[in-house]
Amino acid sequence: MIEANPEFKKAFFKRYVMTPFPRLEFRNGSIWWARSTIKQGKYLHGYDYDYVSNDEGSQDKDLGLVIDEVLQMRLLDRGGQLDCISTGKRGSEFNRRFAEARNSQSQFAYQGSSTDNPHIDQGALAELMKTMPQALAEERILGGERSSEARIQAD
């Protein structure tokens, strides 16, 4: 999109870099990074963040280590926020932290169904559900006990 629209690029971006990690530098001084938590958060070291969005954290076997040993201080330095969004997975660190967030005054936790999402074709979703085992549909589509989304915010 950036290359296809030079006026957009000129209006909003001072610079953008695609490798080794995508980075957009906005004219207002903000920087947006796309980084990975692989290798126990190795590529997050050395930076401070205002906001981190961790997508599909329930799939990360090192989620607890990445949050506790890498991200906490990098967010705390700037009063930043961590947003973890994921389809839940039984026994995952994400689900454990989601359960904690539900009972916390300083965190927000939300659990919902894909059937409530107006941006998903509900007919296609219903057809997909017919081909899935009920337990998987409960987890992945209906927002059942194993499926969740959590936002963890610094005080």
Side-chain angles (χ1 to χ4, degrees):
M1 177 177 139
I2 295 171
E3 287 300 326
N5 192 334
E7 293 84 22
F8 181 81
K9 177 182 170 185
K10 185 177 181 181
F12 292 99
F13 303 109
K14 182 167 77 174
R15 179 175 177 223
Y16 74 99
V17 176
M18 295 307 292
T19 60
F21 299 101
R23 181 177 79 238
L24 296 173
E25 295 180 14
F26 294 86
R27 294 217 173 272
N28 69 0
S30 297
I31 300 173
W32 181 86
W33 288 90
R35 306 292 287 207
S36 174
T37 61
I38 63 169
K39 298 185 179 182
Q40 300 179 334
K42 173 183 177 179
Y43 301 110
L44 301 172
H45 288 281
Y47 298 93
D48 293 330
Y49 303 100
D50 295 308
Y51 176 81
V52 171
S53 177
N54 181 287
D55 192 27
E56 294 303 340
S58 68
Q59 304 302 315
D60 187 348
K61 66 179 177 56
D62 294 320
L63 181 65
L65 183 142
V66 169
I67 291 173
D68 297 339
E69 296 184 21
V70 179
L71 288 175
Q72 275 188 343
M73 290 307 293
R74 281 153 186 79
L75 290 164
L76 186 63
D77 286 351
R78 296 176 65 123
Q81 176 179 312
L82 173 62
D83 188 2
C84 293
I85 304 163
S86 190
T87 299
K89 182 177 176 184
R90 189 179 307 225
S92 69
E93 179 67 13
F94 174 85
N95 276 33
R96 186 186 71 73
R97 289 177 186 251
F98 176 79
E100 286 178 6
R102 291 184 98 157
N103 298 317
S104 171
Q105 295 296 315
S106 64
Q107 300 176 42
F108 170 79
Y110 168 79
Q111 186 170 357
S113 171
S114 295
T115 59
D116 296 331
N117 186 337
H119 304 289
I120 294 177
D121 180 328
Q122 296 300 311
L125 189 61
E127 287 300 313
L128 178 62
M129 287 177 62
K130 289 178 186 176
T131 67
M132 298 179 126
Q134 181 61 34
L136 189 60
E138 175 72 22
E139 175 184 282
R140 302 283 168 87
I141 296 173
L142 299 176
E145 195 58 38
R146 291 166 47 185
S147 179
S148 50
E149 179 175 335
R151 172 165 288 150
I152 303 168
Q153 299 174 321
D155 284 335

